[in-house]
Short mmCIF file of all heavy atoms in Angstrom, two decimals:
data_model
loop_
_atom_site.label_atom_id
_atom_site.label_comp_id
_atom_site.label_asym_id
_atom_site.label_seq_id
_atom_site.Cartn_x
_atom_site.Cartn_y
_atom_site.Cartn_z
N GLU A 153 -6.33 3.00 20.01
CA GLU A 153 -7.57 3.40 19.20
C GLU A 153 -7.53 2.59 17.89
O GLU A 153 -6.50 2.12 17.47
CB GLU A 153 -7.62 4.91 18.92
CG GLU A 153 -7.71 5.76 20.20
CD GLU A 153 -9.01 5.51 20.88
OE1 GLU A 153 -10.07 5.40 20.18
OE2 GLU A 153 -9.05 5.49 22.10
N PRO A 154 -8.72 2.50 17.22
CA PRO A 154 -8.79 1.62 16.04
C PRO A 154 -7.74 2.05 14.94
O PRO A 154 -7.05 1.24 14.33
CB PRO A 154 -10.19 1.88 15.53
CG PRO A 154 -11.00 2.13 16.75
CD PRO A 154 -10.03 2.93 17.65
N ALA A 155 -7.63 3.39 14.70
CA ALA A 155 -6.69 3.78 13.65
C ALA A 155 -5.25 3.38 13.96
O ALA A 155 -4.46 2.94 13.07
CB ALA A 155 -6.80 5.28 13.43
N LEU A 156 -4.85 3.55 15.23
CA LEU A 156 -3.49 3.18 15.61
C LEU A 156 -3.25 1.70 15.53
O LEU A 156 -2.24 1.21 15.09
CB LEU A 156 -3.22 3.74 17.01
CG LEU A 156 -1.81 3.41 17.61
CD1 LEU A 156 -0.72 4.01 16.68
CD2 LEU A 156 -1.64 3.98 19.03
N GLU A 157 -4.35 0.89 15.98
CA GLU A 157 -4.20 -0.57 15.94
C GLU A 157 -4.08 -1.04 14.45
O GLU A 157 -3.33 -1.94 14.13
CB GLU A 157 -5.31 -1.17 16.64
CG GLU A 157 -5.05 -2.67 16.87
CD GLU A 157 -6.00 -3.29 18.02
OE1 GLU A 157 -6.97 -2.66 18.38
OE2 GLU A 157 -5.60 -4.34 18.41
N GLN A 158 -4.84 -0.40 13.59
CA GLN A 158 -4.71 -0.77 12.19
C GLN A 158 -3.30 -0.46 11.63
O GLN A 158 -2.80 -1.30 10.85
CB GLN A 158 -5.78 0.02 11.35
CG GLN A 158 -7.19 -0.36 11.50
CD GLN A 158 -8.11 0.40 10.57
OE1 GLN A 158 -7.78 0.68 9.46
NE2 GLN A 158 -9.29 0.70 11.11
N GLN A 159 -2.72 0.65 12.07
CA GLN A 159 -1.34 0.98 11.68
C GLN A 159 -0.38 -0.06 12.22
O GLN A 159 0.57 -0.46 11.47
CB GLN A 159 -1.03 2.36 12.16
CG GLN A 159 0.24 2.95 11.59
CD GLN A 159 0.53 4.36 12.04
OE1 GLN A 159 -0.34 4.93 12.71
NE2 GLN A 159 1.69 4.88 11.71
N ILE A 160 -0.55 -0.51 13.43
CA ILE A 160 0.24 -1.55 14.01
C ILE A 160 0.19 -2.84 13.16
O ILE A 160 1.21 -3.47 12.87
CB ILE A 160 -0.08 -1.80 15.52
CG1 ILE A 160 0.22 -0.57 16.34
CG2 ILE A 160 0.71 -3.03 16.04
CD1 ILE A 160 -0.37 -0.58 17.78
N VAL A 161 -1.05 -3.25 12.90
CA VAL A 161 -1.20 -4.50 12.13
C VAL A 161 -0.58 -4.31 10.73
O VAL A 161 0.08 -5.27 10.23
CB VAL A 161 -2.73 -4.87 12.04
CG1 VAL A 161 -2.94 -6.03 11.03
CG2 VAL A 161 -3.30 -5.11 13.38
N ALA A 162 -0.75 -3.13 10.12
CA ALA A 162 -0.17 -2.91 8.80
C ALA A 162 1.36 -3.06 8.83
O ALA A 162 1.92 -3.54 7.91
CB ALA A 162 -0.61 -1.62 8.26
N THR A 163 1.92 -2.64 9.96
CA THR A 163 3.37 -2.70 10.07
C THR A 163 3.85 -4.16 10.34
O THR A 163 4.82 -4.57 9.73
CB THR A 163 3.87 -1.81 11.24
OG1 THR A 163 3.49 -0.49 11.01
CG2 THR A 163 5.37 -1.86 11.42
N ARG A 164 3.17 -4.87 11.23
CA ARG A 164 3.61 -6.22 11.54
C ARG A 164 3.09 -7.27 10.53
O ARG A 164 3.80 -8.29 10.41
CB ARG A 164 3.02 -6.56 12.95
CG ARG A 164 3.59 -5.70 14.07
CD ARG A 164 5.15 -5.76 14.11
NE ARG A 164 5.73 -5.02 15.17
CZ ARG A 164 6.00 -5.55 16.39
NH1 ARG A 164 5.74 -6.78 16.63
NH2 ARG A 164 6.53 -4.82 17.37
N VAL A 165 1.97 -7.07 9.92
CA VAL A 165 1.51 -8.06 8.97
C VAL A 165 1.02 -7.30 7.63
O VAL A 165 -0.13 -7.11 7.39
CB VAL A 165 0.28 -8.89 9.52
CG1 VAL A 165 0.02 -10.13 8.69
CG2 VAL A 165 0.48 -9.20 10.97
N PRO A 166 2.04 -6.80 6.96
CA PRO A 166 1.71 -5.92 5.85
C PRO A 166 0.90 -6.60 4.68
O PRO A 166 0.26 -5.96 3.87
CB PRO A 166 3.09 -5.44 5.32
CG PRO A 166 4.01 -6.46 5.83
CD PRO A 166 3.47 -6.98 7.15
N GLU A 167 0.97 -8.00 4.65
CA GLU A 167 0.30 -8.68 3.57
C GLU A 167 -1.23 -8.67 3.75
O GLU A 167 -1.95 -8.97 2.72
CB GLU A 167 0.74 -10.13 3.55
CG GLU A 167 2.26 -10.33 3.35
CD GLU A 167 3.04 -10.30 4.67
OE1 GLU A 167 2.44 -10.03 5.70
OE2 GLU A 167 4.31 -10.54 4.62
N VAL A 168 -1.76 -8.34 4.89
CA VAL A 168 -3.17 -8.31 5.06
C VAL A 168 -3.76 -7.10 4.34
O VAL A 168 -3.24 -6.01 4.45
CB VAL A 168 -3.52 -8.26 6.58
CG1 VAL A 168 -5.01 -7.96 6.79
CG2 VAL A 168 -3.16 -9.55 7.25
N SER A 169 -4.90 -7.30 3.59
CA SER A 169 -5.47 -6.23 2.89
C SER A 169 -6.01 -5.18 3.82
O SER A 169 -6.33 -5.46 4.95
CB SER A 169 -6.60 -6.75 1.99
OG SER A 169 -7.67 -7.20 2.71
N ALA A 170 -6.17 -3.95 3.31
CA ALA A 170 -6.70 -2.77 4.13
C ALA A 170 -8.12 -3.13 4.56
O ALA A 170 -8.49 -2.82 5.76
CB ALA A 170 -6.66 -1.51 3.32
N ALA A 171 -8.96 -3.72 3.71
CA ALA A 171 -10.32 -4.06 4.08
C ALA A 171 -10.38 -5.06 5.24
O ALA A 171 -11.08 -4.92 6.20
CB ALA A 171 -11.06 -4.56 2.87
N LEU A 172 -9.63 -6.09 5.10
CA LEU A 172 -9.64 -7.14 6.13
C LEU A 172 -9.05 -6.54 7.43
O LEU A 172 -9.49 -6.80 8.57
CB LEU A 172 -8.82 -8.33 5.74
CG LEU A 172 -8.73 -9.48 6.76
CD1 LEU A 172 -10.12 -9.99 7.21
CD2 LEU A 172 -7.90 -10.63 6.25
N ARG A 173 -8.02 -5.64 7.31
CA ARG A 173 -7.40 -5.06 8.51
C ARG A 173 -8.43 -4.25 9.24
O ARG A 173 -8.50 -4.31 10.48
CB ARG A 173 -6.24 -4.21 8.04
CG ARG A 173 -5.39 -3.66 9.21
CD ARG A 173 -4.06 -3.11 8.65
NE ARG A 173 -4.21 -2.02 7.69
CZ ARG A 173 -3.86 -2.07 6.46
NH1 ARG A 173 -3.26 -3.17 5.95
NH2 ARG A 173 -4.00 -1.03 5.66
N ARG A 174 -9.26 -3.48 8.53
CA ARG A 174 -10.30 -2.66 9.20
C ARG A 174 -11.28 -3.59 9.93
O ARG A 174 -11.68 -3.24 11.08
CB ARG A 174 -10.99 -1.79 8.25
CG ARG A 174 -10.19 -0.59 7.74
CD ARG A 174 -11.10 0.35 6.94
NE ARG A 174 -11.72 -0.23 5.81
CZ ARG A 174 -11.12 -0.22 4.55
NH1 ARG A 174 -9.96 0.31 4.43
NH2 ARG A 174 -11.73 -0.79 3.53
N GLN A 175 -11.65 -4.63 9.25
CA GLN A 175 -12.70 -5.52 9.84
C GLN A 175 -12.12 -6.29 11.10
O GLN A 175 -12.82 -6.31 12.12
CB GLN A 175 -13.15 -6.57 8.85
CG GLN A 175 -13.95 -5.98 7.67
CD GLN A 175 -14.26 -6.99 6.58
OE1 GLN A 175 -13.98 -8.21 6.80
NE2 GLN A 175 -14.92 -6.59 5.51
N LEU A 176 -10.96 -6.80 11.02
CA LEU A 176 -10.49 -7.57 12.14
C LEU A 176 -10.17 -6.68 13.38
O LEU A 176 -10.40 -7.05 14.50
CB LEU A 176 -9.27 -8.43 11.79
CG LEU A 176 -7.93 -7.74 11.45
CD1 LEU A 176 -7.09 -7.59 12.64
CD2 LEU A 176 -7.13 -8.62 10.44
N VAL A 177 -9.72 -5.49 13.09
CA VAL A 177 -9.42 -4.51 14.22
C VAL A 177 -10.79 -4.07 14.84
O VAL A 177 -10.85 -3.99 16.07
CB VAL A 177 -8.61 -3.32 13.78
CG1 VAL A 177 -8.68 -2.18 14.75
CG2 VAL A 177 -7.25 -3.69 13.42
N ALA A 178 -11.79 -3.83 13.98
CA ALA A 178 -13.07 -3.50 14.53
C ALA A 178 -13.71 -4.61 15.37
O ALA A 178 -14.32 -4.37 16.45
CB ALA A 178 -14.03 -3.12 13.42
#
């Protein structure tokens, strides 16, 4: 799900901003 995938990206690529993370996962 989007929330879980955002959490995965945050763990693996923590340098990506929260805003960009939401956009790329969406």
Side-chain angles (χ1 to χ4, degrees):
E153 295 296 320
L156 181 57
E157 190 159 18
Q158 286 184 39
Q159 191 177 353
I160 293 170
V161 173
T163 300
R164 295 303 181 93
V165 197
E167 301 87 354
V168 171
S169 68
L172 179 58
R173 187 166 61 243
R174 285 193 299 271
Q175 291 176 5
L176 69 88
V177 167

